[in-house]
Amino acid sequence: MIEIRFHGRGGQGAVLASEILARAAIMEGANASAFPFFGVERKGSPVTAFCRIDDRPIRLHTGIYEPDHVVVLDQALIQLTDVLTGLKDDGTVLVNSPHDPEDLGLSTDCKIDTVDATSIALERRLGSKSSPIVNTAILGGFARQCEFVPIKAILDSIRYMAPIKKEENAKAALEAYNRWRE
Amino acid sequence: MKRLAMNGDQAIALSWKQIDPDVVASYPITPQTIIVETYAEYVANGEVKTEYVCSESEHSSMSMCIGASAAGARSATATASAGLAYMWEMLYIAASMRLPVVMTVANRALSGPINIHCDHSDSMGARDSGWIQIYAENVQEAYDNSIMSFRIAENMDVRLPVMNCLDGFIVTHAIESMAPLEDDVVKKFIGDYEAIHPLLDVKSPHSHGPFDMPEYYYEHKYGQQMAMENALDVIRKVSEEYAEISGRKYDFIECYRCEDADYVAISIGSTAGTMKQVVDDLREEGHMVGSIKLRLFRPFPFEDVAKMLNGRKGVAVLDRAMSFGASAPLFADVRSATFDNDSRSPTFSYIYGLGGRDVGVEDLKRVYYDMENGTAETVNYLGVKL
């Protein structure tokens, strides 16, 4: 079983990102579940969302405490919460940031990557200038980083689940996928 | 059968769409809101013929369902927590008028302090209202239970309202893989609604819900009890028929690796899913443990529970609700069910997960360890911070 934890803020789309990923995995024939933990339901407040993917039916109905992968939609959350809590030794971290991974101040031996989802979201006019919706762009990056859910399945799910600007959201994901910095 | 990705609320709305009840009257409340939002879209898009009423309160929603049902309409609604509490008076009226209203409850803690997350205090509080109560572990089961609920409620030997419960957020808001039935299969399974003395039949006028004097009230209550007892056979039969069209077989209780288990835990809802993982993990370490999921809480399947819990070294009963000053609801009934067993098992109450407190695999392992080590108390508060 692969367990992914998303850290975001209310309004950035972390919950929808987890759902798009789960749906993509299900459409590829796997089993998956995605569910949120809402703190206070307010724009800007920290949100955690979870996604599990497995060949077998998923029976666990509990939070993810030892994720294989962590996805951070807002770089500033690194200072607020310990996004690395419980991350497995061979896990990965993906952060929405214009900076290089080594400049994030994360102390871990795990593989860290960054993707500038904010710039992509702004270019595609997803959300507003002050609060861009970065979930689809970062999913494109995640598809590239982890390569266990094909980008095509993610794009299909984005087109199915994005409430508005379906094609722009899909393009944002594809750009993040193609602009990947090794 | 095609598989879809959807959350528990969407799955309930989909089941209603396939059933297309005559009347849906509801008031939105977290974590049920997605159900009525999704259903309102179906109505707006012309995908269903339902008369959809966005009521001004839950008391009104239930009153409208009662009125519609008495008038001869198949009616459904959904609520949670404070919304269910606000319906209280009308819950008893729906049941005593023997109206087959179907209601989904997205289980959520009751205030106060105000809390939007899952526990079973709302529906457990309504356990004596005369409603049948079925609980789901996951999205698939919530969908399946919703469809079966209509058949159970409308059976002429039952004619009682049914509460179809699923865990708030944990199932209502969880996207999972599920396989719905085809629309025509659902329609055929549900069949046409058969009204009894409908109010709108002006050629044969009847009164519904009039004043009841002491000469009759008691007999009406006895009638409700007989209907509940009949419901056991009906639910089993409906479940068997449902297995034929879906390939998914449900029973009152679902036993997981219980055959040779010394220690058994019994739980309701989504936790029963996590419990299967806990049992697998502990079995690998050599522990002789099993888990029971209780799907039907009212009527309570006394015989099945008693039989499965006979002669165990320990039985843990997990309640996601409390009865202040007395035994938690499931514990009370399980203990009562097993009291006359020839080999009565030591039985322990575990309160857990109140107000959405997450319960992980390690937390639940402790329940079995406690019983094995002889450290389980009669009443235990799993994970409470003192």
Side-chain angles (χ1 to χ4, degrees), chain A residues 30-31 33-34 59 61-63 65, chain B residues 3 175-176 256 273-274 280 358:
Chain A
N31 286 285
S33 69
R59 305 172 298 183
H61 284 106
T62 172
Y65 298 99
Chain B
R3 293 196 320 148
I175 296 268
E176 294 180 0
Y256 188 72
T274 309
D280 284 352
D358 193 32

Side-chain angles (χ1 to χ4, degrees), chain A residues 15 23 33 38 45 58 80 83 87 105 132 140 165:
Chain A
V15 175
R23 184 184 180 276
S33 69
F38 290 112
S45 61
I58 291 165
L80 285 177
V83 297
L87 180 63
K165 298 189 181 175

Side-chain angles (χ1 to χ4, degrees), chain A residues 9-31:
Chain A
R9 290 181 184 275
Q12 288 184 319
V15 175
L16 188 56
S18 70
E19 294 176 348
I20 288 168
L21 184 62
R23 184 184 180 276
I26 290 168
M27 292 299 128
E28 286 292 300
N31 286 285

Side-chain angles (χ1 to χ4, degrees), chain B residues 279-356:
Chain B
V279 166
D280 284 352
D281 287 358
L282 289 175
R283 283 267 175 178
E284 230 162 79
E285 296 168 19
H287 300 271
M288 301 301 279
V289 297
S291 164
I292 295 177
K293 171 172 76 184
L294 188 90
R295 290 178 20 84
L296 181 69
F297 186 67
R298 286 291 178 270
F300 194 84
F302 282 100
E303 275 182 31
D304 301 65
V305 170
K307 199 171 142 213
M308 277 317 292
L309 297 181
N310 195 45
R312 307 287 181 177
K313 287 186 185 166
V315 170
V317 185
L318 275 67
D319 270 280
R320 203 162 195 154
M322 290 177 81
S323 173
F324 303 103
S327 298
L330 181 58
F331 180 65
D333 287 343
V334 168
R335 240 192 180 184
S336 167
T338 53
F339 185 80
D340 289 329
N341 275 352
D342 51 32
S343 175
R344 204 191 299 156
S345 316
T347 307
F348 308 98
S349 171
Y350 277 83
I351 310 287
Y352 77 100
L354 300 187

Side-chain angles (χ1 to χ4, degrees), chain B residues 9 35 74 86 127 180 189 215 231 310 327 353 364:
Chain B
D9 276 354
I35 299 175
R74 181 178 270 153
Y86 196 18
R127 67 181 177 176
F189 180 76
E215 288 86 345
N310 195 45
S327 298
L364 293 168

